[in-house]
Amino acid sequence: MFQIVEDAAKKIRTMEVRGAARIARFAAETLKLFAESINGDFDEKMKKAAEILLKTRPTAVSLYNSVNYVLRYEGENEEEKRKNAIKRAEEFIKWIETAHEKIGEIGARRIRRNSVVMTHCNSSAALAVIKEAFKQGKVKEVFATESRPRMQGHLTIKELNEEGIPATLIVDSAVRYFMDDVDCVIVGADTITANGALINKIGTSQIALAAKEARVPFMVAAETYKFSPKTLFGELVIIEERDASEVAPPEILSLKGVKVRNPAFDATPRDYIDVIITEIGAIPPEMAYLVIKERFGYAILEEGELKISPKHFD
Ligand code: RI2
């Protein structure tokens, strides 16, 4: 019964499906398929499926927002509930698709002609901006970090290459070395907190620091479903720590007295961020609180449990 959901959860956990937006989309698609297959005990089964999906990766709030959105289905009987859950999953997927297009359009306006752009990891939102700016003849070259340990930078390089965008792969530690040649940095987001901080791939905060020191604008491309309503209630973002075997070989891991740590994300304070490009506009990070109120206005604590439902889908 829960096989579809268990299989999907495995794909997210092992990062076969990765990237905050892709994970959110995949979760909505999975819940849609699952809802179609339920026969009896609809509410309990949907709740259990949601729990399985939410346990996979803790940091990207896009997963939480997607699952939570679908789970706010309504209906008098099982058939109505199923229909509504499917409709909501489709709405969320549409939200993802339209947001990327808008972000590309808005973000490209922030890029000057002949720009050298730096990016980190593999963000579909950041790439939407870079691709649109390139189409408009504004991007001369892109520096992409390899993004150890999972090397998502290789995906970025391939994607840029497919679009015919001149791309240079650099190791993560070469960021400061090349920063003087860069006109702007653009990265994606896994979560934006109520105080405007960015949670993104490990290493992002070092890039932001280097950009600030070199006076290079640092932009974030983030759909509004990357904003965390939970942080409005004081909840802290959990930083996923992945297996040490991703970063070190067995001969290091077996050394007595040596620890190997592998956090997958870090936090960049809002003071390092010039602008956040969302589908509803280019906003200063200080406005994160208002975006959360606007998009997740219907956020209430019900019997100690946070129930959230976005208000708008335009
Ligand atoms: P989009 C990724 O996480 C990266 O941190 C990336 O910046 C972020 O998701 C956003 O990606 P991971 O799943 O949603 O590779 O913009 O750990 O595609």
Side-chain angles (χ1 to χ4, degrees), residues 100 103 119-120 122-131 186-188 220-222:
H100 276 164
I103 285 174
T119 190
H120 186 48
N122 177 253
S123 156
S124 50
L127 281 167
V129 175
I130 294 171
K131 285 178 191 171
I186 179 148
V187 297
V220 179

Side-chain angles (χ1 to χ4, degrees), residues 40-272:
D41 298 331
F42 193 84
D43 294 341
E44 294 91 284
K45 286 175 182 162
M46 284 297 277
K47 207 166 168 220
K48 176 141 187 251
E51 277 165 18
I52 295 170
L53 290 170
L54 288 176
K55 265 196 214 134
T56 53
R57 297 189 73 195
T59 306
V61 78
S62 50
L63 171 64
Y64 176 88
N65 284 338
S66 162
V67 167
N68 209 289
Y69 186 72
V70 180
L71 263 276
R72 298 291 290 172
Y73 62 80
E74 282 168 353
E76 294 294 322
N77 52 48
E78 181 157 322
E79 230 15 77
E80 280 181 26
K81 287 176 184 177
R82 187 190 335 274
K83 258 197 188 155
N84 194 234
I86 291 169
K87 182 171 160 269
R88 292 179 77 80
E90 284 166 354
E91 278 172 356
F92 201 91
I93 293 164
K94 183 126 198 284
W95 185 3
I96 297 174
E97 285 167 356
T98 51
H100 276 164
E101 208 179 305
K102 268 268 165 220
I103 285 174
E105 194 184 300
I106 296 168
R109 292 197 190 108
R110 304 282 303 203
I111 296 183
R112 293 180 205 281
R113 296 224 144 257
N114 233 10
S115 282
V116 176
V117 180
M118 185 181 276
T119 190
H120 186 48
C121 198
N122 177 253
S123 156
S124 50
L127 281 167
V129 175
I130 294 171
K131 285 178 191 171
E132 180 54 34
F134 179 74
K135 263 191 216 149
Q136 297 175 13
K138 291 174 158 183
V139 175
K140 193 164 78 181
E141 185 185 3
V142 178
F143 282 101
T145 55
E146 61 180 359
S147 311
R148 255 184 66 80
R150 303 287 301 213
M151 304 296 192
Q152 290 97 324
H154 294 180
L155 299 171
T156 299
I157 286 286
K158 282 185 200 153
E159 223 175 306
L160 292 168
N161 191 252
E162 269 162 28
E163 297 286 317
I165 304 174
T168 304
L169 180 72
I170 61 171
V171 296
D172 300 332
S173 43
V175 159
R176 184 61 191 93
Y177 181 84
F178 289 109
M179 194 56 84
D180 293 332
D181 305 329
V182 168
D183 297 295
C184 69
V185 176
I186 179 148
V187 297
D190 288 86
T191 292
I192 306 278
T193 66
N195 64 358
L198 161 70
I199 315 295
N200 194 46
K201 184 53 55 199
I202 191 78
T204 302
S205 65
Q206 290 175 154
I207 301 175
L209 191 67
K212 185 146 184 112
E213 188 256 337
R215 301 221 193 302
V216 172
F218 182 89
M219 292 197 268
V220 179
E223 310 85 307
T224 51
Y225 56 82
K226 308 270 181 70
F227 286 68
S228 172
K230 295 192 280 181
T231 59
L232 214 58
F233 294 90
E235 218 171 277
L236 296 171
V237 178
I238 299 167
I239 301 289
E240 175 185 9
E241 190 136 349
R242 296 185 61 84
D243 204 85
S245 62
E246 285 186 348
V247 289
E251 66 264 32
I252 296 293
L253 296 175
S254 60
L255 290 176
K256 272 215 167 98
V258 171
K259 263 198 250 164
V260 178
R261 302 275 309 267
N262 182 19
F265 303 97
D266 65 19
T268 301
R270 67 166 186 228
D271 297 350
Y272 293 83

